[in-house]
Amino acid sequence: GAVVSQHPSRVICKSGTSVKIECRSLDFQATTMFWYRQFPKKSLMLMATSNEGSKATYEQGVEKDKFLINHASLTLSTLTVTSAHPEDSSFYICSARDSRGRNEKLFFGSGTQLSVL
Amino acid sequence: AQSVTQLDSQVPVFEEAPVELRCNYSSSVSVYLFWYVQYPNQGLQLLLKYLSGSTLVESINGFEAEFNKSQTSFHLRKPSVHISDTAEYFCAVTRSSNTGKLIFGQGTTLQVKP
């Protein structure tokens, strides 16, 4: 079946540095990918919709200059947390939409645990 | 706006016992409902979904959920759980069946004990 690969699974960085998270669809092309964030014991919150070849659409309250999203190819979207601070520590997860066939399907990556020191 | 509430953050049960994971939603418009499961160190996987038709939907591994519009609920049930069912379960809603803009609940950790 279709698989979405997310890398890295865990990253620890110093405050002020930038971190890039990759989301790849391995056996299908995904024109649309989604980025979510999850705080401990909280819901997954949609951060932005990543569209191949165009600007991402951010949800209300999400800083687009802080969370840079690039969807340069049909199989790769990246989320860059710029100038990370401890409050950015969280679990980030991506999903990719597989539009092949009659019914669209959504596949999730395994997530990235970001810890900012 | 839609919202989802999963009333139980953790549900411990013994193997072969029945289980119910509760999910309630609020929405002013019709919604589509999903249950996702996340096994340790893996991504979320779709367990089952309600789009239309029969209000009782089933998964291939014995789970079922019933859409109850009057109670705005979509509780997940299994008559007899296995150790391998230990995972995090997320209830989610969306306004359209063809979108990834899902609104998730907080998740429920199902802990199956031998």
Side-chain angles (χ1 to χ4, degrees), chain A residues 48-65:
Chain A
T49 302
S50 173
N51 301 298
E52 187 271 334
S54 64
K55 291 182 179 180
T57 304
Y58 290 82
E59 295 300 304
Q60 192 172 12
V62 178
E63 300 176 60
K64 53 185 171 183
D65 295 331

Side-chain angles (χ1 to χ4, degrees), chain A residues 4 23-25 28-36 46 48-52 69-71 73-78 94-97 106:
Chain A
V4 172
C23 182
R24 294 181 184 272
S25 56
F28 67 98
Q29 293 182 331
T31 55
T32 306
M33 294 185 176
F34 303 89
W35 287 96
Y36 291 84
L46 179 65
T49 302
S50 173
N51 301 298
E52 187 271 334
I69 291 172
N70 185 282
H71 195 154
S73 78
L74 287 170
T75 58
L76 173 65
S77 175
T78 60
C94 72
S95 66
R97 187 157 67 193
L106 200 63

Side-chain angles (χ1 to χ4, degrees), chain A:
Chain A
V3 176
V4 172
S5 173
Q6 188 172 341
H7 179 80
S9 58
R10 184 178 295 271
V11 58
I12 301 173
C13 70
K14 291 182 179 180
S15 186
T17 60
S18 295
V19 174
K20 180 185 284 188
I21 303 169
E22 294 187 347
C23 182
R24 294 181 184 272
S25 56
L26 296 184
D27 62 353
F28 67 98
Q29 293 182 331
T31 55
T32 306
M33 294 185 176
F34 303 89
W35 287 96
Y36 291 84
R37 178 176 182 178
Q38 184 183 28
F39 295 98
K41 301 300 181 184
K42 299 288 186 182
S43 310
L44 284 121
M45 301 296 294
L46 179 65
M47 298 174 66
T49 302
S50 173
N51 301 298
E52 187 271 334
S54 64
K55 291 182 179 180
T57 304
Y58 290 82
E59 295 300 304
Q60 192 172 12
V62 178
E63 300 176 60
K64 53 185 171 183
D65 295 331
K66 174 75 166 174
F67 300 100
L68 299 179
I69 291 172
N70 185 282
H71 195 154
S73 78
L74 287 170
T75 58
L76 173 65
S77 175
T78 60
L79 169 67
T80 301
V81 183
T82 62
S83 186
H85 291 286
E87 58 265 29
D88 298 324
S89 298
S90 192
F91 186 71
Y92 296 86
I93 192 165
C94 72
S95 66
R97 187 157 67 193
D98 181 357
S99 300
R100 297 174 297 177
R102 283 183 57 190
N103 297 314
E104 290 187 347
K105 297 178 182 176
L106 200 63
F107 295 95
F108 285 81
S110 54
T112 298
Q113 183 65 53
L114 171 63
S115 300
V116 184
L117 304 179

Side-chain angles (χ1 to χ4, degrees), chain B residues 50 52-57 65-68 74:
Chain B
Y50 170 77
S52 64
S54 173
T55 57
L56 183 66
V57 290
E66 185 161 20
F67 170 55
N68 189 318
F74 191 55

Side-chain angles (χ1 to χ4, degrees), chain B residues 69-86:
Chain B
K69 189 175 182 179
S70 63
Q71 297 186 5
T72 61
S73 68
F74 191 55
H75 301 331
L76 182 69
R77 302 184 184 95
K78 188 169 184 179
S80 175
V81 293
H82 301 134
I83 295 287
S84 59
D85 292 324
T86 295

